[in-house]
Amino acid sequence: MLKSTKTTIPFFKNNEFDYEDLVRFGGEYSGILAWILFIIVTIFIVTAVSNGANMTDGLDGLATGTSAIIGATLGILAYLSGHLVYASYLDIMYIPHSGELVVYIAAFIGSTIGFLWYNSYPAQVFMGDTGSLSLGGIIAVLAIIIHKELLIPVLCGIFLVENVSVMMQVSWFKYTRKKYGEGRRIFRMAPLHHHYQLKGYPEAKIVTRFWIIGIFLAVITIVTLKIR
């Protein structure tokens, strides 16, 4: 039976990794400590990806389209991981029955694309925090289930950059206000997509270019199956 505390390290040939390896000092309690570490990492990942999706939901169709791209990639990874022949050929962790997730992922992709039909610029319906946080949570949990959570920084690079841009903006503003008595900004506005919006880029162009970057990151994620 596959241990839940096992995961896959991208770009390495011998890529299976167990959180228990980090807590060997615990002796007979290593298994318990590994689970505690796994739970902490899981909470962090779900929180980070959910927040990233929420940050990305600032322009019409941006979070929805990006999530659909990420979902399609996770569907491919889930199918390959659940297929004994493909998993053996690609030297990836075989996860029995993970191919069944493709049904759910297909529904996820269908719902995001269906929503995108009305959410594309100019949007007729809006997602809000409830939708964007749910999208991020679903993506994070799917990645964890198929033991590909360490690929999230690559696959969800758009979410990551949006998150980081806000952290950089807030941190720099607080630091300069404390040092100079006046807060200064790195970007015209955070998250990052609003920076480009204030620079005069049309909303539709920003969204389309973010989608292109998202597709590029998805391709890189798939390519990691052979770059080891």
Side-chain angles (χ1 to χ4, degrees):
M1 183 177 178
L2 184 64
K3 291 179 65 178
S4 294
T5 54
K6 279 188 123 179
T7 189
T8 304
I9 304 176
F11 305 107
F12 288 87
K13 186 172 183 179
N14 299 317
N15 53 27
E16 291 192 12
F17 168 77
D18 196 326
Y19 288 98
E20 194 170 337
D21 296 334
L22 295 176
V23 289
R24 290 294 183 188
F25 60 85
E28 60 180 312
Y29 299 105
S30 295
I32 297 175
L33 292 174
W35 271 104
I36 293 174
L37 179 60
F38 174 73
I39 291 171
I40 293 172
V41 171
T42 299
I43 292 172
F44 173 79
I45 291 172
V46 172
T47 303
V49 179
S50 296
N51 193 57
N54 188 38
M55 293 291 180
T56 306
D57 183 34
L59 298 179
D60 296 343
L62 181 55
T64 315
T66 303
S67 297
I69 295 166
I70 294 171
T73 308
L74 289 174
I76 294 171
L77 294 175
Y79 179 76
L80 294 176
S81 297
H83 196 291
L84 181 60
V85 176
Y86 292 152
S88 176
Y89 172 71
L90 294 170
D91 191 26
I92 60 176
M93 186 185 296
Y94 170 60
I95 307 171
H97 310 300
S98 70
E100 300 297 326
L101 285 171
V102 176
V103 178
Y104 178 82
I105 295 172
F108 173 78
I109 298 169
S111 62
T112 52
I113 293 176
F115 185 83
L116 183 61
W117 183 267
Y118 299 98
N119 185 237
S120 58
Y121 180 83
Q124 296 169 271
V125 292
F126 300 93
M127 184 177 297
D129 291 346
T130 303
S132 58
L133 290 171
S134 299
L135 286 179
I138 291 170
I139 289 169
V141 170
L142 287 173
I144 292 168
I145 290 174
I146 62 174
H147 301 273
K148 300 293 187 294
E149 62 266 32
L150 296 184
L151 276 172
I152 285 179
V154 179
L155 178 58
C156 302
I158 297 293
F159 295 167
L160 176 64
V161 169
E162 296 278 41
N163 253 337
V164 171
S165 68
V166 173
M167 290 189 289
M168 289 173 60
Q169 184 87 321
V170 173
S171 300
W172 183 248
F173 186 86
K174 289 182 177 180
Y175 171 76
T176 52
R177 184 173 60 182
K178 184 177 180 180
K179 185 172 182 179
Y180 304 110
E182 179 187 11
R184 300 176 183 177
R185 294 174 172 83
I186 300 174
F187 307 105
R188 294 189 179 184
M189 187 177 179
L192 186 62
H193 55 262
H194 288 313
H195 169 75
Y196 291 110
Q197 196 174 19
L198 291 179
K199 288 188 70 174
Y201 287 83
E203 183 172 335
K205 177 169 283 190
I206 298 171
V207 172
T208 303
R209 287 184 174 178
F210 271 57
W211 286 351
I212 293 171
I213 295 171
I215 294 171
F216 181 70
L217 293 174
V219 171
I220 293 176
T221 301
I222 298 297
V223 168
T224 60
L225 294 173
K226 293 300 291 181
I227 301 181
R228 286 200 299 273

